[in-house]
């Protein structure tokens, strides 16, 4: 994990890698709980028998948005800013789901700090808007499962 003392130190890291998380295993239970929470019960995610028979992946796959929803957890393993008291997911500029995440796969995130700018440009604010580029990688696959340009607000 990369640790920064404050937002000034974090912001100075713009254009550089933040690092990568540990791998985590995507289980059918995680997929089923995500389906229950979102109401997305498409068979390719939640019906292992049918997915094994009919899916081109020969197993259930995680929802793309499940993969993306792991960003806070995985980014929390990659970096921290000691002075930050509040972090808010602000949105995303780009998201692409470029590869499947079959059940049982091991997934990790790699992150780069694209840039960071003061959140309140016209005020004496203590916040930063960070653009973080993430690639969610499936162990053993060349192509990432998801690439996203995420926006996070950080406040001291």
């Amino acid at each position: 994990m990369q640790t920064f003392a404050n937002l000034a130190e974090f912001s100075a890291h713009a254009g550089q890698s933040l690092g990568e998380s540990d791998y985590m295993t995507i289980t059918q239970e995680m997929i089923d709980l995500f389906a229950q929470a979102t109401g997305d019960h498409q068979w390719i995610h939640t019906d292992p028998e049918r997915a094994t028979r009919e899916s081109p992946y020969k197993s259930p796959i995680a929802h793309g948005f499940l993969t993306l929803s792991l960003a806070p957890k995985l980014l929390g393993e990659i970096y921290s800013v000691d002075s930050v008291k509040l972090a808010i997911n602000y949105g995303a500029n780009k998201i692409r789901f470029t590869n499947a995440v079959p059940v049982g796969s091991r997934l990790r995130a790699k992150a780069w700090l694209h840039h960071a700018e003061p959140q309140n440009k016209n005020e004496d604010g203590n916040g930063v808007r960070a653009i973080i580029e993430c690639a969610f990688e499936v162990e053993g696959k060349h192509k990432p499962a998801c690439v996203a340009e995420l926006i996070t607000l950080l406040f001291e």
Side-chain angles (χ1 to χ4, degrees):
M1 172 180 296
Q2 189 152 193
T3 302
F4 301 93
N6 53 46
L7 289 176
E9 187 178 298
F10 176 72
S11 296
H13 196 73
Q16 299 178 59
S17 172
L18 290 167
E20 60 192 39
S21 70
D22 291 333
Y23 280 104
M24 65 178 292
T25 301
I26 303 301
T27 66
Q28 187 64 52
E29 180 182 16
M30 291 169 68
I31 293 169
D32 291 343
L33 289 170
F34 188 84
Q36 183 178 359
T38 62
D40 182 352
H41 297 279
Q42 188 179 147
W43 65 266
I44 200 164
H45 307 301
T46 60
D47 187 338
E49 292 170 8
R50 184 174 177 190
T52 300
R53 275 191 330 268
E54 298 178 32
S55 162
Y57 309 105
K58 302 301 179 198
S59 77
I61 60 171
H63 304 74
F65 285 113
L66 168 56
T67 300
L68 183 62
S69 75
L70 295 170
K73 176 201 181 329
L74 297 175
L75 288 172
E77 294 178 11
I78 295 173
Y79 79 93
S80 69
V81 182
D82 289 339
S83 64
V84 167
K85 295 178 181 160
L86 175 66
I88 298 171
N89 295 319
Y90 189 72
N93 290 329
K94 298 177 196 171
I95 300 168
R96 297 291 182 268
F97 302 110
T98 53
N99 207 351
V101 181
V103 69
S105 294
R106 290 173 25 99
L107 184 76
R108 73 173 175 189
K110 284 188 174 179
W112 300 264
L113 179 58
H114 186 274
H115 71 275
E117 60 190 32
Q119 172 56 23
N120 300 313
K121 288 183 179 178
N122 299 323
E123 301 174 22
D124 289 335
N126 59 346
V128 162
R129 180 182 307 198
I131 308 298
I132 299 172
E133 296 177 13
C134 295
F136 298 84
E137 299 179 332
V138 176
E139 187 175 42
K141 302 274 182 162
H142 177 68
K143 189 175 180 183
C146 176
V147 290
E149 189 175 279
L150 305 175
I151 308 167
T152 303
L153 304 180
L154 304 166
F155 296 95
E156 294 179 318

